[in-house]
């Protein structure tokens, strides 16, 4: 399952860290992310309020 976490704080880092441990996770992405999330997920360059950009990325990357 491809998962996108939206945010850049410590909570998002904790979510990414735990989601990365799941055998169901095939790809983990975070936007905008931070250096910590980048260690366990691929950060995408969108601001949290860029709904059209995030929506387009979800469709293009086929995120579940």
């Amino acid at each position: 399952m491809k998962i996108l976490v939206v945010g850049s704080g410590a909570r998002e880092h904790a979510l990414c860290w735990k989601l990365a441990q799941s055998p169901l996770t095939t790809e983990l992405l975070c936007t905008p992310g931070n250096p910590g999330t980048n260690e366990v997920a691929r950060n995408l360059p969108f601001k949290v309020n860029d709904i059209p950009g995030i929506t387009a990325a979800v469709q293009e990357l086929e995120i579940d």
Side-chain angles (χ1 to χ4, degrees), residues 19-53:
L19 287 168
Q21 296 173 21
S22 172
L24 300 176
T25 302
T26 58
E27 187 173 2
L28 185 57
L29 304 104
C30 189
T31 189
N34 61 45
T37 59
N38 200 42
E39 292 180 8
V40 293
R42 178 170 58 130
N43 287 345
L44 299 178
F46 300 100
K47 295 184 180 196
V48 294
N49 60 355
D50 182 5
I51 304 304

